[in-house]
Amino acid sequence: MADDGSTTNGRPWPDLPRELADHMRPHLDEVADDMIQEIQTRVREYDRPGDGSYSGTLRLAVERVLHYFVDRVADPNHDPGPVVDFFRAIGRGEAGEGRSLDAMQSAMRVGGMVAWRRLTEGADALNVSPRTLGAVGEVLMEFQNELAHAAAEGFSQAKAAVAGEMQRRRKRLLDLLFADPPAAQEAIADLAAAAHWPVPRTVAAVALGRHHQDARQPAFPPDVLADLTRRTPSLIIPDPDGPGRAKLIDRALAGTLAVVGPTVPLMEAARSMQWARKTLCLVQRGVIEADGGVIRCVEHMSTLILFQDEGLITSLAELRLAPLAHLRPSQQDRLAETLLAWLQSGRNANEVAMRLHVHPQTVRYRLRQLEELFGDQLLDPDLRFDLEIVLRARALLADNAGERMIQPAREAVGDSGEVVTFRRS
């Protein structure tokens, strides 16, 4: 685009005889007719016999270009602003109509070809030297580039504005889907239509690790709603259980800390996000292991249930694990680990030994200690169920920087005692 009236694309216009403009002016209407006819013949998008307004716009554009070109030949300092703005507006209009710039650029090439043909045909009558004719051709091509650049600039501006507005609508749609209480179904449907988002039957929410807000945004499929500016960067994935969708999700989220919530009906998207956030929190605490891949809530439901109310599980642990409270932390850990393995292995001491990679005699020694500590509680199925719940939660927390659900009450006693086995219920 011209930097000022005397340059094109940063280079000065060639020095042209000013009288050339006077020779061109009387022929502008005739040249305009030729250009319009050639454009409509060779660029089918511009051949609209029944559309008078479109033909009028084409003529206006051609005439503006021709008159401006001649004015620029007469005065290299002639203001390019109006014609440049006009072509920016054309570019914005093409974008607004959902068209590319291909047809317009083809029309400009055809128009330039007609203009050059008329110039060369009249060169002898104008007594123009080959050098001057070459300079005029250079100016003509540079002028075409200037107008094409202006149209492309307007096109890009319009596309960016549309994309920005569409993104705002999609973020607002995401807000509505996560609202508590839920937004009206009609409001969601209306905004989905405005955001060009086909309403799916089911969705899954995704919670992303915080550090991804500042990283390069992953390339999500176009039907995924995304807002990485939220406190918890979030997505909504339509039809997550459809054919090939799981692999598509995994590829899009590769390399990110991402938790996919359960699949739910559209109007329950907030519930899916609630569970995704809870799972993400447990992952960040180390309770749920992040193995580098996408984490799915449905694979950790029992852990989520355990930690749904940590105050409640802690109170239950204090009650059921009270017999261990007076022991040293290291003793608590050994006995709690042994008791959980015993409960999970059908109360088989040999299997416990294999699970814990210790000698069976060591296991029996520990089991005798547990029987002395817990007594008849180990014979009650309901109490064993409670114990397994709190011991599972304790084991998960123990993997996370040594969190404990019970604390020593006083100085611990030794490990002395006779080797015994539990009585079977």
Side-chain angles (χ1 to χ4, degrees):
M1 186 186 317
D3 294 334
D4 54 38
S6 61
T7 64
T8 301
N9 292 331
R11 299 197 305 273
W13 276 57
D15 187 18
L16 301 176
R18 306 293 175 88
E19 60 270 18
L20 275 178
D22 295 332
H23 290 297
M24 293 178 185
R25 289 188 198 281
H27 305 285
L28 291 184
D29 289 343
E30 182 182 344
V31 174
D33 290 340
D34 286 353
M35 290 175 68
I36 292 169
Q37 181 178 356
E38 192 77 15
I39 288 170
Q40 290 178 330
T41 298
R42 301 184 61 168
V43 185
R44 62 179 182 81
E45 289 85 352
Y46 285 82
D47 184 19
R48 301 187 183 184
D51 191 341
S53 63
Y54 197 84
S55 298
T57 301
L58 175 60
R59 175 166 291 278
L60 176 62
V62 168
E63 289 178 349
R64 281 200 179 195
V65 169
L66 288 172
H67 282 278
Y68 173 76
F69 179 74
V70 172
D71 289 341
R72 192 83 170 265
V73 171
D75 177 12
N77 293 315
H78 186 73
D79 180 19
V83 73
V84 167
D85 288 343
F86 180 74
F87 271 79
R88 281 200 195 99
I90 289 177
R92 288 194 294 269
E94 294 295 280
E97 293 293 328
R99 295 188 293 265
S100 72
L101 290 179
D102 292 348
M104 190 212 73
Q105 290 169 345
S106 296
M108 290 181 67
R109 286 192 292 270
V110 171
M113 180 192 66
V114 172
W116 177 243
R117 184 171 65 220
R118 293 297 299 261
L119 280 169
T120 55
E121 288 173 352
D124 291 339
L126 295 174
N127 196 25
V128 176
S129 69
R131 181 182 182 126
T132 299
L133 188 62
V136 173
E138 181 183 349
V139 168
L140 180 62
M141 287 186 289
E142 290 285 0
F143 181 54
Q144 279 186 283
N145 289 338
E146 182 178 336
L147 298 185
H149 181 83
E153 191 176 63
F155 186 87
S156 297
Q157 290 171 349
K159 282 291 188 182
V162 169
E165 177 60 27
M166 201 61 63
Q167 184 63 22
R168 284 189 291 273
R169 290 175 184 174
R170 288 189 161 216
K171 285 184 177 182
R172 175 58 183 154
L173 178 57
L174 198 111
D175 289 339
L176 287 186
L177 290 170
F178 289 156
D180 185 18
Q185 190 166 355
E186 294 78 8
I188 290 174
D190 289 346
L191 188 52
H196 297 175
W197 190 66
V199 176
R201 187 178 60 85
T202 60
V203 295
V206 179
L208 301 179
R210 183 67 180 171
H211 65 278
H212 295 294
Q213 180 179 355
D214 303 320
R216 181 180 63 85
Q217 177 167 334
F220 300 124
D223 62 347
V224 171
L225 298 180
D227 185 358
L228 303 189
T229 65
R230 299 171 71 90
R231 186 172 62 178
T232 300
S234 306
L235 313 174
I236 285 184
I237 298 175
D239 300 320
D241 299 329
R245 295 292 284 177
K247 289 184 179 179
L248 185 67
I249 294 167
D250 289 347
R251 284 197 300 270
L253 298 175
T256 69
L257 175 57
V259 177
V260 180
T263 299
V264 295
L266 176 67
M267 299 306 295
E268 297 181 26
R271 180 167 65 88
S272 182
M273 176 50 72
Q274 178 186 16
W275 286 108
R277 286 175 180 163
K278 286 180 181 291
T279 305
L280 177 63
C281 180
L282 294 177
V283 171
Q284 292 170 330
R285 288 173 55 187
V287 175
I288 293 176
E289 183 178 356
D291 57 5
V294 175
I295 299 160
R296 288 176 165 78
C297 288
V298 294
E299 297 173 1
H300 301 278
M301 295 303 286
S302 60
T303 301
L304 287 167
I305 292 171
L306 280 178
F307 287 86
Q308 174 66 5
D309 188 333
E310 293 191 45
L312 186 60
I313 199 71
T314 299
S315 296
L316 182 61
E318 291 173 351
L319 176 65
R320 295 295 179 234
L321 301 181
L324 303 179
H326 67 286
L327 303 177
R328 289 195 309 267
S330 60
Q331 289 178 293
Q332 292 181 20
D333 291 342
R334 285 195 299 270
L335 293 178
E337 179 185 49
T338 302
L339 180 55
L340 178 59
W342 181 74
L343 292 168
Q344 291 177 329
S345 63
R347 295 170 285 160
N348 184 300
N350 291 329
E351 186 173 337
V352 172
M354 288 188 291
R355 282 190 179 210
L356 301 183
H357 305 289
V358 297
H359 195 278
Q361 190 72 356
T362 301
V363 171
R364 292 187 181 92
Y365 169 63
R366 293 180 187 174
L367 292 177
R368 179 66 69 181
Q369 284 185 291
L370 288 166
E371 185 182 49
E372 292 174 353
L373 291 167
F374 285 89
D376 290 343
Q377 293 184 59
L378 299 179
L379 305 178
D380 187 323
D382 291 335
L383 294 180
R384 287 202 303 266
F385 179 75
D386 286 356
L387 281 169
E388 185 167 357
I389 288 174
V390 297
L391 288 168
R392 282 177 179 268
R394 187 183 191 279
L396 290 168
L397 287 174
D399 292 335
N400 177 29
E403 286 191 37
R404 294 180 180 278
M405 302 187 74
I406 55 173
Q407 300 296 332
R410 59 179 175 83
E411 192 67 24
V413 298
D415 280 345
S416 61
E418 182 184 357
V419 176
V420 295
T421 57
F422 285 163
R423 297 187 302 272
R424 304 299 181 191
S425 60

